Amino acid sequence: MERGPADDYPPRPLTGQAALTARLHARLGSFSSLVRLAARGKSHRGAKNGDCHQFAPRHGPRKKALSLKRIGWLYPIFRDLHFYHGLLTVIAALAVTFGNLCAAGPPAQRIVSTAPSITEMIYVLGLGDRVVGVTTFCHYPPEVLNKPKIGTYMHPNFEVILEKKPDLVVVLEEQRELGGKLRNFGLPVLALQHNTLEGIYDSLRVLGERTGVQQAAGRKIAVMRKQLGEIGALAAPLPKRSVMFVVGRTPATVRDLVVVGRGSFLNELIAIAGGTNCFEDAPAFYPRIPREEVYARGPEVIIDMGDMGDTQQVSEEHRRSIVEVWKSQAMLPAVQAGRVYPVAEDFFVVPGPRVVEAARSLLAMIHPEVVR
């Protein structure tokens, strides 16, 4: 039975392959917690900044924003709550920074990585020989496959990490529980966050400082900025094409779509590659949207990795089947123009040094005339 727009409210959990895809994204690194929230169907009312939630259609009725000054005698109370909320946010950020500073010491020689994005950063800085443990989902570069495994991103094995006797464990900020346990045992912990391009540059810089390779980190950041700038220069004179990047959906259908929203490094890369993200106005990194909203936005390019449960082994037959699924939506401009692109490369979901490769790939899909 077909569902109308109202049937998507309240949000429903993803099922089947869509849930598997959400878990795939969760295990691949930095935006894990965001996609997990999408899989749970968390609404925007309970979500923090950057959390996933059900997307409200652009064409639907909008409520006026509540002004604090309109609530009379309650205004001073709410004003103070806003102040203390902001203060607590600053304190939390300072706590992470202080923890990183406390971890500073001699350049680390035995490093454990707890996420694929971190592993890629360590290797691009030439520190592969210092790595003593990685997650089971760290696949790049190929040399990492031979490294000892410390569990998954979502479920690292605490005992195995301790056995490796690391002098530095690099975690993501959302792995607070793991970081706290490791610090309690006296292990130096470095917490990083890189959901955006600037975040990626900052993580490379901080990692370089902690491992004594500041110059290598600075050079890599400069090269990445230059290469992304060159890609942007190629795309700049071309007409902007609207893009929908799908990161989750029910297999063999176009239901339960989870797409790239604002705030994500993918949103930035789409802009660099000469596109406009159809859902850049969504107040979430990866919102779940009703199918009717896709028709309202009319994307000119559809990039779909939502049916890819495994980025390591994806057949051409599988890719062709994804194109066939979208042919059922013949009214969409992207389908009419033959601009539906199935993708499975993990650099689309690992915010790290390979964002340049992701940007080049996006440019080839959004403006194939440039690379011919």
Side-chain angles (χ1 to χ4, degrees):
M1 181 183 294
E2 292 294 322
R3 294 180 291 109
D7 294 328
D8 273 334
Y9 303 90
R12 301 179 298 106
L14 300 182
T15 58
Q17 187 69 26
L20 176 62
T21 304
R23 290 196 297 273
L24 165 69
H25 296 164
R27 75 197 187 194
L28 281 177
S30 189
F31 59 71
S32 58
S33 58
L34 306 177
V35 181
R36 286 206 306 277
L37 287 169
R40 295 172 185 168
K42 185 169 182 177
S43 72
H44 70 282
R45 292 178 183 176
K48 298 178 182 179
N49 183 28
D51 286 352
C52 295
H53 65 276
Q54 176 71 42
F55 180 70
R58 175 187 285 174
H59 53 274
R62 297 183 182 275
K63 294 182 179 179
K64 279 188 176 181
L66 177 64
S67 170
L68 292 179
K69 292 186 178 179
R70 292 173 57 193
I71 57 180
W73 62 272
L74 290 174
Y75 170 67
I77 299 174
F78 278 87
R79 179 194 59 199
D80 291 342
L81 287 175
H82 274 257
F83 169 76
Y84 287 115
H85 177 270
L87 182 60
L88 288 173
T89 301
V90 172
I91 291 173
L94 289 175
V96 172
T97 303
F98 180 73
N100 289 341
L101 289 174
C102 289
Q109 301 300 318
R110 296 182 58 81
I111 305 172
V112 166
S113 166
T114 63
S117 59
I118 294 171
T119 299
E120 292 193 16
M121 290 183 180
I122 292 172
Y123 270 83
V124 83
L125 295 179
L127 304 171
D129 59 334
R130 304 190 198 180
V131 174
V132 296
V134 297
T135 75
T136 55
F137 298 112
C138 293
H139 300 132
Y140 189 87
E143 307 90 88
V144 79
L145 298 176
N146 298 321
K147 292 291 184 178
K149 302 302 184 288
I150 53 95
T152 68
Y153 165 80
M154 296 179 67
H155 301 288
N157 190 314
F158 183 66
E159 288 75 17
V160 171
I161 294 175
L162 289 176
E163 288 174 2
K164 298 303 174 186
K165 296 181 171 56
D167 55 11
L168 182 65
V169 182
V170 189
V171 303
L172 296 174
E173 285 191 9
E174 52 259 42
Q175 295 175 297
R176 293 182 181 89
E177 183 178 354
L178 173 64
K181 287 182 178 179
L182 294 171
R183 288 188 178 100
N184 288 340
F185 274 83
L187 292 179
V189 176
L190 179 64
L192 303 177
Q193 185 177 46
H194 36 263
N195 292 316
T196 65
L197 290 180
E198 284 302 323
I200 292 170
Y201 300 145
D202 190 56
S203 288
L204 283 168
R205 178 187 58 78
V206 172
L207 189 58
E209 291 173 352
R210 184 63 185 85
T211 56
V213 292
Q214 298 94 322
Q215 292 185 352
R219 287 193 297 268
K220 183 59 184 177
I221 294 169
V223 168
M224 290 174 63
R225 288 186 185 274
K226 179 176 181 293
Q227 291 173 331
L228 289 176
E230 291 170 349
I231 295 170
L234 285 174
L238 302 173
K240 297 286 185 182
R241 286 180 177 152
S242 58
V243 179
M244 179 176 69
F245 197 123
V246 180
V247 297
R249 62 177 173 80
T250 300
T253 74
V254 292
R255 295 178 178 173
D256 298 312
L257 294 169
V258 178
V259 301
V260 172
R262 71 172 177 234
S264 165
F265 74 101
L266 285 172
N267 184 63
E268 296 177 87
L269 294 182
I270 289 171
I272 289 172
T276 300
N277 182 5
C278 282
F279 295 96
E280 66 179 354
D281 63 328
F285 282 16
Y286 303 97
R288 183 157 59 86
I289 61 169
R291 184 173 53 184
E292 291 74 14
E293 191 63 21
V294 178
Y295 280 97
R297 303 298 175 102
E300 298 173 279
V301 179
I302 295 175
I303 302 170
D304 187 348
M305 71 178 305
D307 199 10
M308 301 297 185
D310 185 355
T311 61
Q312 299 300 302
Q313 298 177 350
V314 180
S315 67
E316 286 304 314
E317 181 180 357
H318 187 188
R319 293 175 187 265
R320 286 193 294 271
S321 71
I322 292 174
V323 175
E324 289 299 317
V325 166
W326 283 102
K327 284 183 179 179
S328 65
Q329 313 299 315
M331 297 300 292
L332 293 175
V335 177
Q336 294 173 358
R339 297 196 190 103
V340 176
Y341 301 101
V343 296
E345 292 78 10
D346 60 0
F347 53 62
F348 286 116
V349 290
V350 179
R354 289 190 293 160
V355 291
V356 174
E357 295 179 48
R360 289 197 184 105
S361 183
L362 288 170
L363 177 64
M365 291 183 282
I366 299 172
H367 290 291
E369 65 274 17
V370 173
V371 297
R372 289 193 184 120

